[in-house]
Amino acid sequence: MSRILLVEDHERLAHLVSNGLTAAGIAVDSVQRIDAAWSALHQVPYGAMVLDRSLPDGDGLALLKRLRDFELTIPCLVLTARDALNDRVEGLDAGADDYLPKPFAMDELVARVRALLRRPVECLPVTPGHGDLQLRPADSMLHCGEERVSLAASELQIMLLLARKGGDTVRRSALEAAAWGLSEAVTPNALDVALHRLRRKLRAVGSSQKIVNVRSLGYALREDEVAE
């Protein structure tokens, strides 16, 4: 299931949008502030973002401009009550990929979000990987040479984040957020179980990469080290 970030401070609207997108098979994490959105975007590899402009801590376009300044190319739909031409132009100039004024039909929002999710993310390779590993998100497969193994949805998100970090340490909380989102309840040992299965799958395909426990810091993909 694709996952997006909704940045909307109107609780009832956020609830309606979340329910509508979830019913269409799109998972949603919802936050109400720019600072919370910035934090979430650095924890979860979202496929797209739906962004309101009028937020408690500022204009949503400030967040979008900051993301584009950092060359983060997550597709973004700006959702706002402002419908004047200059407002639409301002949003697009800030880096928005689409613009939908309120009020709107839920079917139209779903269609536009799906269109954004189909767009390739320019900053990520088509087949992300690290070392001798290649990930194919489209079919949830992990490849090592001629060997391959299927991954559960949560396992795929964990491996994508570890591979994207290129051997750097990733916090436990970040891995949990990537695998299950910020709004989904996670049991205390869910990550440990997922990592155990991933380590077994890495051995099964004969990879030299191991998921290493960096004590008190998190986890990393590294070669020729023994994972604890």
Side-chain angles (χ1 to χ4, degrees):
M1 178 181 285
S2 302
R3 183 177 294 277
I4 72 156
L5 179 65
L6 171 64
V7 191
E8 168 62 66
D9 67 319
H10 190 289
E11 291 187 11
R12 184 171 180 274
L13 179 59
H15 181 71
L16 290 172
V17 170
S18 295
N19 285 349
L21 291 171
T22 301
I26 301 169
V28 180
D29 286 339
S30 181
V31 297
Q32 298 181 349
R33 299 174 58 88
I34 292 173
D35 53 3
W38 181 257
S39 176
L41 287 163
H42 283 77
Q43 297 182 62
V44 181
Y46 293 105
M49 176 172 61
V50 175
L51 176 66
D52 187 21
R53 286 197 61 172
S54 300
L55 297 167
D57 51 344
D59 188 336
L61 292 189
L63 169 64
L64 184 55
K65 290 176 181 177
R66 187 178 181 191
L67 290 171
R68 299 309 187 232
D69 287 344
F70 277 80
E71 298 184 352
L72 297 176
T73 58
I74 178 174
C76 178
L77 182 150
V78 173
L79 188 67
T80 178
R82 306 180 188 184
D83 192 25
L85 175 60
N86 62 316
D87 287 323
R88 296 198 299 272
V89 170
E90 186 179 7
L92 294 171
D93 284 345
D97 298 275
D98 200 357
Y99 201 102
L100 185 63
K102 305 172 187 177
F104 54 87
M106 186 59 65
D107 287 347
E108 182 177 6
L109 175 62
V110 170
R112 292 189 181 216
V113 170
R114 281 178 171 161
L116 289 183
L117 289 170
R118 288 194 294 268
R119 295 186 181 185
V121 181
E122 297 174 0
C123 63
L124 297 179
V126 176
T127 54
H130 179 67
D132 57 7
L133 297 173
Q134 289 293 319
L135 290 154
R136 300 189 184 275
D139 54 8
S140 296
M141 299 295 293
L142 172 69
H143 291 247
C144 180
E146 297 299 319
E147 301 296 324
R148 64 178 185 173
V149 64
S150 63
L151 300 177
S154 56
E155 295 169 352
L156 174 63
Q157 295 304 319
I158 290 170
M159 287 301 300
L160 284 171
L161 182 53
L162 288 171
R164 193 177 69 194
K165 292 298 184 179
D168 291 339
T169 303
V170 183
R171 298 189 310 276
R172 183 183 182 92
S173 59
L175 290 173
E176 289 176 336
W180 296 284
L182 299 176
S183 58
E184 189 173 335
V186 181
T187 58
N189 65 340
L191 181 62
D192 297 318
V193 172
L195 291 174
H196 173 74
R197 290 175 178 166
L198 282 170
R199 285 166 172 155
R200 187 171 59 194
K201 291 180 179 182
L202 289 174
R203 291 194 297 269
V205 297
S207 175
S208 63
Q209 297 295 319
K210 294 177 173 61
I211 299 176
V212 177
N213 184 345
V214 183
R215 193 177 299 277
S216 301
L217 295 176
Y219 299 87
L221 264 182
R222 293 177 186 170
E223 188 173 353
D224 296 330
E225 292 191 38
V226 177
E228 298 177 6

